[in-house]
Amino acid sequence: MRNRFIQWTILIAALGGINAESANQETIKEDVMKEEISIIPQPMSLKKTGGAFTLDRNAVIQLDSSGEDIAAIGGWLGEWLSNALGSEIPVLAANAVPANAKRIVLSIEEKNEPLGEEGYELTVSTQTILLRANRPAGLFYAVQTLRQLLPPSFEKSGAAAASCAIPGVEIEDRPQYRWRGALLDCARHFMTKDFLLRYIDLLAYHKLNVFHLHLTDDQGWRIEIEKHPKLMEVGAYRMEGNERYGGYYSKKDLREIIAYAQARFITVIPEFEMPGHASAAIASYPELACDGQSISVLTEWGVFKNVFCAGKEGAFDFLESVLDEIIDIFPSPYIHIGGDEAPRDHWQECPLCQKRIQEEHLKSEAELQSYLIRRIEKFLSSRGRRMIGWDEILEGGGLPPSAIVQSWRGMDGAVTASKLGHDVVSSPNPFVYFDYPQEEKQVSSKPDWMILTTMEKTYSFRATPPELTPDEAKHVLGAECALWTEHSPQEQVDQQTFPRLCAYSETVWTPEKALDWQNFQKRITPHLERLAALGVDYYR
Ligand code: TNX
């Protein structure tokens, strides 16, 4: 440990231009090349300024203003540094800091408009580290960057070093996109609450700000809805052999997850799938389907014909009452209603669906689907929320302009939707689909999955389709990567997510012209050490 610390001090000192006389020059050179400053996602601008700030037990954290956010961010940083340095780093108001103290200054001050809501400046000089942002989110991201200027051992619990030299830099940074999301499918496999909290920490570390929870599907219902208790009694579990497998999140769990995410500037967006991927709900309440036949929560993967009936008013009552409880739990301005992969076979044979088609002067089952989507959109708008759905919600036409389209079948949905004036979130399969294998050797056990999503492929992802005009491109809010978990129980999630998520984070944060795969490859190696220190079981 001590050896490692000395190496770090020397190499960081060397990076900063300090002459580490007593050290063996050969070793320094090698280490310097290995351990360049490497931040992921790459900041918009970074200049090395020489010199270094020696961080040790004498440093203090200075808060330049009062307020809950700055106190929380300073408090977190103070605890984290105290833990790593093995001695208390005080967090003080500006007037309580001794005149000649070495200080880490946190400042929230509206000054530099281009930094926007999420940008920040980070300056490291010999006596001071300054983190400044217009808004709390920016300050939070400045802290994430500062973490990456320190050795990976600082991420482990327990004292890492008594001191450490941080290279002199000037960083100015802000995100490329305002919607930088990650989807986790907790329906196909259930993940514990603690696991989700840890996942949120890892998203925040990569400066992502949307956590999309896929909560309902054919193989499980994962959200407590008081009005419909069978969703939890029946829908939340499936049989795996002789074992009952599943679980769901209580409202209390979800509120805790949401608050935890909010403290890390992450919005949690819930997804309630309709009209398809509805088997777990229909297993709980068969009357929601056209034929009313009872079914079991499914144990196989794929696309199934069990969809909500679009002819029965009772089915709409169910959808709306569930949405009301979801709205009550989730403060997110956006509610995801799925909308993908909904076969219309049952609707073709259902007298009530056919009656609805006639009465509403619809021309087809596709239009019946868009009738359902429009009705739900109207309901959500009446509750002050915006609807988001997968690109199938474009089918059948008539989608209200405020609806957001999430493009997953490649980028066609993104192009069509933004040309129609809808806001768009890009999630093209397979580029940002982390359920796909990352190399050939992973494929053998899943013969139908021959498409690879390598880290390089993910890095080549661009949220904005090149064919859009500048005005159309303004509709691209950003992107989401997705981990569908048919083949990934909780213990597999790290391997599927990392390190591809690191590459993805850069595509949504870093300005497009600064994206550079060669350069990223150099930075990912030290970044993997950080992930290891954080206990991430990344794919090797
Ligand atoms: C398609 S992406 C789905 C998911 C599957 C995924 C597997 C989307 C809207 N629907 O239900 O899990 O493919 O890659």
Side-chain angles (χ1 to χ4, degrees):
M1 165 72 78
R2 177 104 199 116
N3 241 349
R4 221 181 126 55
F5 160 60
I6 292 170
Q7 270 196 358
W8 257 100
T9 315
I10 292 168
L11 74 93
I12 293 178
L15 264 178
I18 289 173
N19 191 6
E21 279 162 2
S22 59
N24 169 326
Q25 290 299 319
E26 288 304 312
T27 330
I28 294 172
K29 261 194 226 143
E30 258 187 40
D31 280 347
V32 169
M33 289 204 312
K34 257 194 286 170
E35 314 268 17
E36 283 278 338
I37 291 179
S38 76
I39 297 163
I40 291 178
Q42 174 75 33
M44 182 175 77
S45 114
L46 182 153
K47 256 190 286 180
K48 288 187 207 166
T49 51
F53 178 99
T54 306
L55 177 63
D56 57 26
R57 56 165 59 212
N58 299 316
V60 303
I61 295 174
Q62 168 179 329
L63 304 183
D64 262 6
S65 52
S66 54
E68 263 175 49
D69 285 308
I70 194 168
I73 296 167
W76 186 89
L77 182 62
E79 232 175 79
W80 185 77
L81 287 176
S82 303
N83 174 52
L85 294 167
S87 95
E88 182 77 15
I89 301 298
V91 182
L92 304 170
N95 58 12
V97 177
N100 55 359
K102 270 188 307 189
R103 60 192 87 196
I104 301 175
V105 180
L106 305 192
S107 161
I108 298 178
E109 195 190 346
E110 189 98 38
K111 194 149 93 172
N112 179 347
E113 201 29 57
L115 289 183
E117 296 277 320
E118 298 183 295
Y120 65 90
E121 288 167 348
L122 169 56
T123 310
V124 178
S125 50
T126 50
Q127 280 301 303
T128 309
I129 298 178
L130 173 64
L131 296 84
R132 190 194 71 76
N134 291 337
R135 303 257 177 222
L139 189 65
F140 178 80
Y141 294 134
V143 169
Q144 304 319 308
T145 298
L146 179 61
R147 285 169 76 178
Q148 298 194 18
L149 291 174
L150 290 161
S153 56
F154 274 56
E155 299 296 350
K156 285 197 185 134
S157 57
S163 83
C164 160
I166 306 178
V169 282
E170 267 175 34
I171 294 173
E172 201 181 320
D173 200 11
R174 64 162 187 265
Q176 170 89 340
Y177 291 103
R178 66 181 144 118
W179 188 304
R180 303 179 303 280
L183 172 150
L184 185 60
D185 170 8
C186 309
R188 270 57 173 270
H189 277 99
F190 180 70
M191 329 272 160
T192 65
K193 182 195 73 186
D194 286 341
F195 185 80
L196 298 188
L197 300 182
R198 171 186 173 276
Y199 206 71
I200 286 169
D201 276 325
L202 293 168
L203 300 184
Y205 186 60
H206 293 89
K207 302 188 173 89
L208 301 183
N209 66 355
V210 169
F211 186 30
H212 174 165
L213 278 182
H214 183 77
L215 290 166
T216 73
D217 217 302
D218 296 305
Q219 300 83 7
W221 182 276
R222 306 278 173 241
I223 173 171
E224 179 187 4
I225 300 295
E226 281 164 64
K227 191 162 182 207
H228 307 293
K230 284 192 189 160
L231 292 171
M232 291 82 78
E233 288 156 20
V234 177
Y237 299 91
R238 64 174 179 257
M239 293 309 290
E240 283 196 347
N242 292 327
E243 305 242 322
R244 205 163 165 252
Y245 172 90
Y248 65 91
Y249 306 107
S250 68
K251 294 190 174 185
K252 187 167 162 280
D253 289 340
L254 289 165
R255 292 200 169 102
E256 187 183 335
I257 291 166
I258 292 160
Y260 192 87
Q262 213 159 36
R264 288 151 185 80
F265 301 92
I266 291 178
T267 302
V268 183
I269 298 186
E271 180 181 353
F272 165 24
E273 277 267 22
M274 64 183 78
H277 288 283
S279 305
I282 291 170
S284 313
Y285 297 100
E287 63 273 23
L288 295 171
C290 295
D291 61 9
Q293 302 265 319
S294 74
I295 58 167
S296 301
V297 176
L298 300 187
T299 54
E300 268 154 31
W301 316 120
V303 176
F304 302 92
K305 292 179 187 165
N306 308 315
V307 303
F308 293 121
C309 177
K312 295 179 185 169
E313 275 311 291
F316 282 93
D317 292 344
F318 173 84
L319 299 178
E320 294 181 358
S321 57
V322 169
L323 284 171
D324 261 335
E325 292 195 34
I326 288 179
I327 286 168
D328 183 55
I329 303 167
F330 290 87
S332 160
Y334 316 99
I335 305 289
H336 205 299
I337 54 84
D340 61 307
E341 299 179 326
R344 297 166 193 139
D345 308 47
H346 289 189
W347 290 356
Q348 271 163 8
E349 284 147 27
C350 169
L352 290 175
C353 287
Q354 293 306 316
K355 186 162 164 251
R356 177 89 74 195
I357 288 177
Q358 272 195 341
E359 283 175 2
E360 298 291 332
H361 311 292
L362 306 170
K363 286 193 212 67
S364 61
E365 284 75 24
E367 288 195 7
L368 181 58
Q369 178 155 343
S370 84
Y371 164 84
L372 179 144
I373 298 293
R374 272 183 279 129
R375 232 180 114 166
I376 294 299
E377 193 282 334
K378 208 164 162 193
F379 176 80
L380 288 173
S381 294
S382 77
R383 299 290 194 269
R385 306 297 177 99
R386 265 179 93 181
M387 185 182 86
I388 170 165
W390 299 106
D391 55 51
E392 283 95 330
I393 66 173
L394 288 164
E395 289 170 15
L399 188 65
S402 75
I404 303 172
V405 175
Q406 184 163 11
S407 188
W408 73 278
R409 295 175 296 178
M411 292 293 271
D412 293 353
V415 174
T416 311
S418 41
K419 287 191 186 294
L420 287 169
H422 295 287
D423 284 346
V424 159
V425 172
S426 302
S427 294
N429 140 359
F431 290 83
V432 292
Y433 266 39
F434 298 157
D435 49 328
Y436 283 73
Q438 26 212 328
E439 7 167 22
E440 295 289 347
K441 71 177 189 201
Q442 278 194 310
V443 174
S444 56
S445 59
K446 303 160 194 164
D448 50 332
W449 288 22
M450 293 309 286
I451 301 172
L452 299 185
T453 295
T454 60
M455 185 157 65
E456 186 173 5
K457 186 183 262 176
T458 297
Y459 198 84
S460 74
F461 162 67
R462 300 292 175 262
T464 303
E467 56 266 56
L468 298 186
T469 65
D471 270 344
E472 289 162 355
K474 284 188 194 136
H475 284 297
V476 180
L477 304 178
E480 276 182 20
C481 59
L483 178 52
W484 300 100
T485 59
E486 288 94 332
H487 305 282
S488 302
Q490 176 173 308
E491 58 276 15
Q492 183 71 27
V493 165
D494 272 15
Q495 296 235 350
Q496 296 301 121
T497 306
F498 297 100
R500 289 182 289 195
L501 180 129
C502 311
Y504 161 74
S505 74
E506 197 150 306
T507 68
V508 285
W509 178 277
T510 305
E512 187 168 341
K513 57 179 185 315
L515 294 175
D516 177 344
W517 169 242
Q518 302 300 331
N519 182 277
F520 175 81
Q521 281 175 288
K522 284 191 206 142
R523 283 176 290 116
I524 192 69
T525 309
H527 195 76
L528 293 178
E529 272 191 65
R530 289 179 206 129
L531 293 184
L534 285 163
V536 176
D537 179 25
Y538 62 84
Y539 184 71
R540 287 162 169 89

